[in-house]
Amino acid sequence: MKKRSYVGVLSAVLAASMALTGCAGNSNSSGGSNASGGQSQPAPGNSGGGTTEGGLIKIATQSPLSGSNSAVGDAIKTGAGYALEKRKEEFKALGFDLQLFPQDDQGDPKIGVSNAEMLISDPDVYGVVGHYNTGVAIPSSVKYEEGKLVMVSPANTGVKLTEEGKKTVHRICARDDAQGPKAALYAKNTLGVKTAYIIHDKTAYGQGLSDQVKMQFEKDGVQILGFEGITQGEKDYSAVLNQVTVKNPDIIFFGGLYPEGGIMIKQAREKGFKGYFMGGDGLDSSDMIKIAGDAVEGVVFTSVAGDVTQTEEGKKWAEEYKKVTNKPLETYSVYGFDSMNVILNGVLEATKANGGKKPTREQVLDAVHKTKDFQGQFTKVTFDDKGDNTNADVFIYKFDKDKSIFVGKAE
Amino acid sequence: MLAPFPRENKSSQRNECRKFVQVYKRNEGWESMINILPQVLVDGLTLGFMYAVVALGYTMVYGILEIINFAHGDIFMVGAFIGTEVLLISDALGALEGMNPFVALFITLIIAMVLTGALGVGIERIAYRPLRGAPRLVPLISAIGVSFLLQDLVRFTEALARNEFYLNSPALFTGSIPLGSIATIPTKGLIVIVIAIVMMIALTLFVNKTKWGIAMRAVAQDQSTASLMTINVNKVIMLTFLIGSSLGGATGVLFAQNYGTIDPYIGFILGLKAFTAAVLGGIGNLRGAMIGGVLLGLLESLSGAFMGPLTNGAFGAEYKDVFAFSILILVLLFKPEGLFGEAVKEKV
């Protein structure tokens, strides 16, 4: 009797946990999944027997849809998906079935690469909008290069990404060697800081940006009181913050992302730090407010994404976006949107050049690479030889109690 | 950062020296390092007691079963989530308003301890007991499996319920107590320390003074002999998991209160450090785990704050873990059983 009940309990728990993890898999794939290939679309991979004669064209997104960066990752996916949805009819008229193929890179290089491998092995995938993390984009781009799959990044600012000479790599946003110096200049000229303490998260993005800021500060004679790294995922930064309070800098510059940045500013204020707190586009998320609480007020950050609601037309677009997607507007939403349109435009050009037939990936890549003066919803896109957008700008924002306020273009 | 030696004043050696000291003082020298020392110690203690209570869970299970329960860090994480959910839900219902924060914390702690205790017992039942006779590596792997399962279960349920998986705990205590002008202890930090000490004392009394405590020590010594002495070994092991896990869960609640933000992955780093603390103190030894935890917390805090100035910026706070773990390696090299462990005697 006793033994039977034991087996019963065991199998019940097993069944429950399997059901639960099974569900977890499903919920993942509804928002894109990892290498195991969560096709969220109803008709995956039917390149031959589609309803339209021209065939299936999938455009992938790769961004963190789970994990601590998922707020921004989801905004990129949603923005790109919205752009694709809007142009579905246009492509149907040409005989193509357009499909979004969202992937979750979890902000993890290993998962990004295995997703990329899966994408290049799928002949219907014609482009990738992604990534969010430079540290994920660089190793993944090796795979894209192998598969001649064009990548247009809405958010990667790491300098190294386009310096490696990969033809498939493009980005529509500014680079850290534009962002960092402009942030430092703003801190010195507008905020009037004389001493600075720089903290970074030891990632390709965070440290890279911090290096740029440091270089500019040194050039301008702003005294650097410290340059320290922290470990991503930790929640206690008192060790480094104790040093900051001793040296009492005019500004803490943080090179990293909002989960760490939010905690850091909160703990710094608790320790009585009164100076400015500044970061790069990694702080650009509405979740920053949730994490930092009241301490977020006055936090300044630069972003490579501008405020689309600055113009009347942009405001209209934002309203529509919120209505259709039922998601809050993040600053990267519109960049996801524009990146997708750059790729779709490339597909269109390549199709034209191919006489209306389905183009090859290489033709799409060439077409995207040649993008010139393409007016997106927010940014104008002209790629230079490396794949950087020559029209990219850097913007300054400031957090109020419950939202970030656009301050202006950083000069 | 040495200040240039003042050359212009040559009236007397002493004068020169004094001036040097003054200049040095002005430039964050020893003086300012002494000034922040109390604050560094306070931070280190808070962190250290957190490690210590989690380390107790590792050391208890190891003492009894000689397996390392790598899922313990994630039980801690589940405790943090349960506590935060309790607070968030009661906050949404308006129950927190007007309630004494100590009462609220107490209720939250009890709920989290009961649930994580049950979770610990369940894990033992499903993942460890069937493997009791297997080689020691096997339950270790199963522990790592449970650890991932817990992370993803929490991630999944939170994503389903709240559409995000890092939560911000409502803060019950916001004030801070100034210790003269030298340091301030945030109330929440003080509460962490006090509750951790209470839990550690209670556990020590339990193990040393009660019948069940004696039974636990007997099982730790020799399972089969203990069972011959009419001790129900399975029950004792269950009790060990119950106590260890509920302590871990309670620490999770304290962690969430102290740092505000939690995510499903907090158990990994903290669990690893607590495990290290247990090894540092001598794994299997309760007193060792406590002291090891506090020591590790202090080491981390001190090295984070002082390594930069001492090495002139060559090694910054980013190397604090390297430093702490180097000490661990040194200790293990010269005293392999840990600081307070006894050398393992052959069991007869």
Side-chain angles (χ1 to χ4, degrees):
Chain A
M1 191 62 207
K2 205 168 175 198
K3 187 139 206 177
R4 254 182 59 198
S5 75
Y6 164 67
V7 170
V9 167
L10 186 63
S11 52
V13 170
L14 258 181
S17 67
M18 277 168 97
L20 278 173
T21 42
C23 283
N26 282 341
S27 88
N28 256 348
S29 58
S30 71
S33 177
N34 49 25
S36 56
Q39 285 93 345
S40 64
Q41 305 303 329
N46 54 348
S47 56
T51 43
T52 39
E53 66 276 16
L56 183 68
I57 290 179
K58 287 192 210 167
I59 312 292
T61 65
Q62 275 231 70
S63 56
L65 302 175
S66 59
S68 54
N69 299 330
S70 52
V72 173
D74 193 65
I76 292 171
K77 184 200 97 182
T78 312
Y82 180 49
L84 184 135
E85 215 50 52
K86 276 188 116 169
R87 297 182 70 171
K88 243 184 174 159
E89 289 308 313
E90 185 189 341
F91 276 80
K92 201 157 242 166
L94 295 170
F96 294 121
D97 194 8
L98 213 51
Q99 224 175 67
L100 186 71
F101 197 38
Q103 303 298 319
D104 180 8
D105 67 21
Q106 296 182 24
D108 183 334
K110 297 186 290 295
I111 295 169
V113 170
S114 66
N115 283 352
E117 215 154 306
M118 190 262 294
L119 291 177
I120 62 169
S121 67
D122 185 338
D124 291 332
V125 176
Y126 275 83
V128 184
V129 175
H131 297 233
Y132 174 56
N133 313 70
T134 303
V136 182
I138 290 175
S140 303
S141 65
V142 176
K143 293 289 163 197
Y144 302 143
E145 188 75 7
E146 264 172 39
K148 303 219 168 11
L149 182 62
V150 66
M151 163 191 149
V152 176
S153 167
N156 292 137
T157 56
V159 175
K160 220 179 122 196
L161 181 67
T162 46
E163 289 294 328
E164 288 186 324
K166 293 202 179 63
K167 202 188 168 194
T168 46
V169 176
H170 303 82
R171 63 174 134 203
I172 64 171
C173 56
R175 316 183 339 162
D176 283 340
D177 54 359
Q179 189 184 180
K182 280 186 176 165
L185 281 174
Y186 180 82
K188 180 169 182 280
N189 297 337
T190 312
L191 303 179
V193 303
K194 297 198 168 51
T195 53
Y197 202 102
I198 301 176
I199 303 172
H200 60 84
D201 65 357
K202 294 191 270 191
T203 62
Y205 162 71
Q207 194 159 3
L209 178 64
S210 298
D211 283 337
Q212 297 291 340
V213 170
K214 189 173 169 224
M215 256 159 28
Q216 187 65 39
F217 271 153
E218 275 166 355
K219 220 182 280 170
D220 294 344
V222 174
Q223 201 189 350
I224 311 280
L225 298 179
F227 188 80
E228 303 271 8
I230 50 132
T231 308
Q232 251 187 327
E234 265 193 12
K235 304 280 181 230
D236 184 1
Y237 299 123
S238 55
V240 63
L241 289 174
N242 274 331
Q243 272 197 60
V244 172
T245 40
V246 176
K247 298 188 173 163
N248 197 19
D250 294 338
I251 192 170
I252 299 178
F253 186 89
F254 176 67
L257 306 181
Y258 56 91
E260 282 80 24
I263 298 174
M264 184 158 304
I265 176 62
K266 191 162 76 175
Q267 292 181 358
R269 292 283 185 239
E270 275 170 13
K271 286 195 176 296
F273 172 71
K274 297 258 176 349
Y276 289 106
F277 188 89
M278 190 174 184
D281 57 315
L283 301 188
D284 192 354
S285 161
S286 53
D287 276 340
M288 178 77 186
I289 298 157
K290 280 196 226 158
I291 297 170
D294 291 341
V296 82
E297 204 177 342
V299 170
V300 187
F301 64 92
T302 54
S303 181
V304 292
D307 186 356
V308 69
T309 59
Q310 287 299 304
T311 61
E312 276 308 310
E313 189 205 2
K315 230 177 230 158
K316 229 168 68 198
W317 179 87
E319 288 304 316
E320 226 170 287
Y321 171 88
K322 278 189 260 190
K323 214 160 54 201
V324 174
T325 62
N326 205 14
K327 292 263 172 81
L329 182 79
E330 300 271 347
T331 41
Y332 276 114
S333 307
V334 70
Y335 272 44
F337 185 88
D338 282 356
S339 300
M340 177 58 86
N341 273 327
V342 167
I343 293 182
L344 290 181
N345 234 43
V347 173
L348 217 56
E349 294 286 319
T351 312
K352 260 187 224 152
N354 207 24
K357 282 200 292 288
K358 204 175 172 186
T360 65
R361 257 189 214 160
E362 213 167 348
Q363 286 167 325
V364 174
L365 169 60
D366 276 333
V368 172
H369 197 70
K370 280 189 204 123
T371 302
K372 212 177 165 221
D373 293 329
F374 171 77
Q375 185 60 52
Q377 185 60 46
F378 180 76
T379 180
K380 208 169 179 185
V381 180
T382 300
F383 288 125
D384 65 10
D385 210 35
K386 288 174 186 160
D388 288 318
N389 182 6
T390 52
N391 299 320
D393 282 316
V394 179
F395 307 89
I396 305 275
Y397 290 81
K398 192 174 181 179
F399 273 108
D400 195 8
K401 267 200 170 64
D402 51 358
K403 60 177 191 298
S404 60
I405 301 167
F406 182 75
V407 177
K409 215 183 257 188
E411 302 301 341
Chain B
M1 278 170 217
L2 217 77
F5 205 86
R7 295 246 171 244
E8 61 275 60
N9 187 342
K10 287 187 176 150
S11 54
S12 76
Q13 194 99 31
R14 179 182 281 177
N15 217 344
E16 214 165 87
C17 248
R18 191 177 298 146
K19 194 148 190 191
F20 172 73
V21 169
Q22 276 168 355
V23 171
Y24 202 8
K25 262 188 196 168
R26 235 181 295 138
N27 296 294
E28 355 91 46
W30 287 101
E31 188 77 5
S32 58
M33 278 170 57
I34 302 289
N35 280 342
I36 59 161
L37 187 62
Q39 188 63 51
V40 172
L41 290 179
V42 166
D43 291 334
L45 277 180
T46 320
L47 190 65
F49 276 105
M50 203 102 68
Y51 289 158
V53 189
V54 180
L56 286 178
Y58 280 101
T59 224
M60 279 169 76
V61 169
Y62 186 85
I64 297 259
L65 285 177
E66 297 201 359
I67 61 165
I68 292 155
N69 179 14
F70 268 122
H72 190 67
D74 295 288
I75 293 173
F76 154 85
M77 176 273 294
V78 172
F81 269 88
I82 291 172
T84 305
E85 281 293 346
V86 168
L87 287 177
L88 281 175
I89 290 168
S90 42
D91 195 25
L93 296 176
L96 275 188
E97 235 159 281
M99 196 192 264
N100 186 321
F102 288 98
V103 178
L105 180 67
F106 185 73
I107 296 173
T108 313
L109 276 176
I110 296 293
I111 296 176
M113 285 175 86
V114 168
L115 291 179
T116 47
L119 179 69
V121 171
I123 289 171
E124 191 271 330
R125 194 75 192 253
I126 293 163
Y128 303 146
R129 194 181 294 182
L131 304 171
R132 193 74 59 75
R136 221 174 283 168
L137 205 55
V138 178
L140 180 75
I141 302 295
S142 129
I144 292 171
V146 171
S147 154
F148 284 124
L149 185 75
L150 287 179
Q151 281 174 16
D152 282 338
L153 271 182
V154 169
R155 200 181 94 180
F156 166 67
T157 37
E158 287 298 334
L160 205 64
R162 297 197 180 270
N163 201 17
E164 59 183 351
F165 15 79
Y166 46 100
L167 301 183
N168 289 291
S169 186
L172 291 174
F173 306 94
T174 46
S176 61
I177 304 160
L179 285 182
S181 62
I182 51 170
T184 51
I185 305 185
T187 320
K188 53 191 190 187
L190 192 66
I191 285 169
V192 169
I193 296 179
V194 171
I195 294 182
I197 291 178
V198 168
M199 287 195 295
M200 291 194 285
I201 292 176
L203 180 69
T204 315
L205 286 178
F206 177 82
V207 171
N208 287 332
K209 303 282 181 205
T210 63
K211 206 175 74 180
W212 279 105
I214 296 169
M216 269 166 87
R217 281 184 292 153
V219 172
Q221 202 117 63
D222 191 330
Q223 278 186 32
S224 46
T225 316
S227 71
L228 289 176
M229 302 295 160
T230 71
I231 291 173
N232 186 336
V233 173
N234 275 340
K235 259 193 191 159
V236 170
I237 291 174
M238 255 170 69
L239 187 71
T240 309
F241 272 89
L242 180 77
I243 295 174
S245 303
S246 56
L247 287 184
T251 322
V253 176
L254 297 179
F255 182 92
Q257 270 302 306
N258 201 27
Y259 297 120
T261 313
I262 54 171
D263 62 57
Y265 308 104
I266 53 172
F268 179 71
I269 292 183
L270 199 125
L272 207 62
K273 295 226 171 111
F275 170 65
T276 308
V279 175
L280 183 66
I283 193 153
N285 180 314
L286 289 183
R287 199 172 46 129
M290 296 176 211
I291 299 175
V294 174
L295 216 58
L296 189 71
L298 283 175
L299 261 179
E300 243 190 78
S301 190
L302 285 172
S303 53
F306 295 136
M307 225 157 40
L310 282 181
T311 58
N312 234 335
F315 292 101
E318 56 198 286
Y319 290 101
K320 70 183 164 61
D321 290 353
V322 178
F323 184 72
F325 281 87
S326 306
I327 299 263
L328 173 82
I329 293 171
L330 281 179
V331 168
L332 292 183
L333 276 179
F334 294 106
K335 202 164 184 313
E337 66 275 15
L339 287 176
F340 296 89
E342 295 143 30
V344 182
K345 281 171 257 153
E346 203 57 48
K347 281 181 183 172
V348 190

